[in-house]
Amino acid sequence: MRTITIVNQKGGCGKTTTAINLSAYLASIDRKVLLIDLDPQAHTSIGFNINVKELEVSTYDIFSDAVGKSIDSVTIQIEDNLDLAPSQLILSAVEQELSGKIGRENVLLKSIQRMRANYDYIIIDCPPNLGLLTINALRVSNEAIIPIDMSVFALRGVSQLMEIISILKIETKHDIKTKALLTNFNTRTKFAEEILKNVEENFNENMYKTIIHRTVKLKEAASKGIPINKYCKNCRGAIDYRALADEVILEEKSLREVLPYELGPKRINNEVIFQYFDPNADQVQLAGDFTDWESSKNITLNKNSNNVWETSLRINPGNYRYKFIVDGKWVTDPFNPEVSIEEKGIKNSKISID
C-alpha cells in the first residue's frame, strides 16, 4: 500500500484538485483508493458533491477524544474502487483540542493501523498550513506530492515544508519521498518558464514529468462536484491528470518488476551490501553471525528514495547466517534464496564470502 500526502502550506496551488483527480484516475485503472480529506474547508469532500453539513461522522471523529473512531467508520463509497473519508469545519478544532497531548501527531497513524479495509493507495489532502493535521498526514505517509503553481510565491514556503519533513525523519526515523508537481501552468508566459527552471533546479529528478496546465474545465468540474475524468475526459485537464496517474502507476510497476532482480546481498570490492525493500517500515536492522547475534550490535539500515533499506559491511571470508529485524519482527531475506534451517525449524538467510 502506498500512502501519498498532497501537501503545500500555500493555498491555491492545486492540492485539492490534484487529490480529487489523481484519486479518481487511479480508481478508474483498477486501484483501490482511500481519499482522506484533512482540510477543515472540506473542499475535497465538496468536490465529490458531498453535503458536508449533513454528515453524521467525518475525519474530525478520528481525532476527537470523545469518539476516536477508526477510519473505516467514517468512510463513504464514492464509486467502485474509491472511498472518501470526508471532512467538516469542526475539524479545525482539533489543533486546540489535542494541544499538549502526548502522541497527538500519531492519531491518524493509529486509526489507519486499525483499518480493516485493504487499499492500494491512500491519498491525503492537507490544509494550507504546517499544523497538527499536516504533521499527522506526513507521519503516516511514505510519499508526498508538493503541488507548485505558477506564482511569485511558488517556492517561498517549500523550503520550510522540506525542513519539517527533515525534522520528522530525524525525530521519528520516518523517511518520506517527496516529488514536486507543477500546476496551473500557462505555456504562453515567460514567467512560467522561469518558475519551471527554478523548480527543476531545486528538485532535480524529484519532480513529475507531467505538468498540470491551467484550464477552466478543471474549475468547472470542481464546481459541479465531478472529477475531470467524468466531466470532460478529452480536455487538457483530463489528459494531464491521466498522465500523472500513469506516471504514479509507472513508479509502482518499476519497483515491483525491477527490485526482485536487483536486491539480495552483493559483494562490491571488500564490502557486502545488504538490502531490504519495505516502503511501510519505520526501522530495519540487520543481525547475524557477524554481529554475534547480540542486540546491542544490531546494524540499522538507511532507506533510500526507492524505499530500499540498505547498509554495507566489511566482512572477512567465510559462511554467515543473518536476518533482518523489521519494526521489531525477525524476517529472512526475501531476495536471497539461500537459507539455513536451524534447530526447531528456525530459518536464517545465509551468505558465503570467498
Side-chain angles (χ1 to χ4, degrees), residues 87-266:
S87 178
Q88 290 176 307
L89 184 60
I90 193 175
L91 186 62
S92 60
V94 164
E95 197 88 26
Q96 183 176 354
E97 290 181 5
L98 297 184
S99 177
K101 294 192 176 181
I102 297 175
R104 59 190 180 276
E105 72 280 359
N106 292 318
V107 176
L108 182 61
L109 176 63
K110 292 179 180 178
S111 181
I112 287 177
Q113 287 175 335
R114 298 197 303 268
M115 183 174 65
R116 296 181 299 277
N118 294 317
Y119 295 96
D120 298 305
Y121 287 86
I122 295 178
I123 308 292
I124 306 173
D125 185 27
C126 291
N129 59 59
L130 293 178
L132 181 60
L133 293 171
T134 298
I135 295 298
N136 265 265
L138 292 172
R139 181 67 183 89
V140 80
S141 299
N142 304 110
E143 303 171 57
I145 295 177
I146 306 173
I148 300 176
D149 68 326
M150 299 297 101
S151 76
V152 68
F153 305 107
L155 290 172
R156 191 160 294 180
V158 173
S159 60
Q160 184 182 3
L161 171 61
M162 299 305 291
E163 184 178 349
I164 292 291
I165 291 174
S166 178
I167 292 172
L168 188 67
K169 176 180 178 180
I170 294 171
E171 294 294 329
T172 67
K173 295 183 174 62
H174 179 69
D175 198 7
I176 300 173
K177 178 182 178 182
T178 56
K179 294 190 77 170
L181 172 69
L182 283 175
T183 61
N184 296 323
F185 192 81
N186 188 344
T187 56
R188 293 175 293 182
T189 66
K190 183 178 179 180
F191 178 71
E193 295 297 331
E194 292 175 357
I195 293 293
L196 171 59
K197 183 179 179 180
N198 201 341
V199 173
E200 288 175 337
E201 290 174 352
N202 279 271
F203 284 89
N204 297 311
E205 73 279 2
N206 293 319
M207 63 178 292
Y208 284 101
K209 296 178 181 178
T210 299
I211 293 176
I212 309 300
H213 294 80
R214 178 179 295 174
T215 167
V216 70
K217 292 296 183 182
L218 285 170
K219 294 181 179 180
E220 290 177 1
S223 69
K224 295 180 181 297
I226 304 172
I228 193 66
N229 65 326
K230 298 291 181 64
Y231 180 71
C232 179
K233 65 179 181 180
N234 293 318
C235 64
R236 175 79 263 182
I239 293 170
D240 289 347
Y241 274 109
R242 177 57 196 253
L244 176 62
D246 288 342
E247 198 170 346
V248 170
I249 290 291
L250 185 62
E251 292 174 327
E252 165 196 319
K253 289 182 177 179
S254 65
L255 286 174
R256 187 172 62 244
E257 293 170 1
V258 174
L259 287 177
Y261 299 97
E262 292 186 345
L263 299 187
K266 304 179 185 66

Side-chain angles (χ1 to χ4, degrees), residues 25 28 52 59 133 144 177 192 230 255 330 336 348 351 353:
Y25 265 116
S28 74
V52 296
T59 47
L133 293 171
K177 178 182 178 182
K230 298 291 181 64
L255 286 174
W330 292 77
N336 180 7
N348 291 311
I351 182 173
I353 307 298

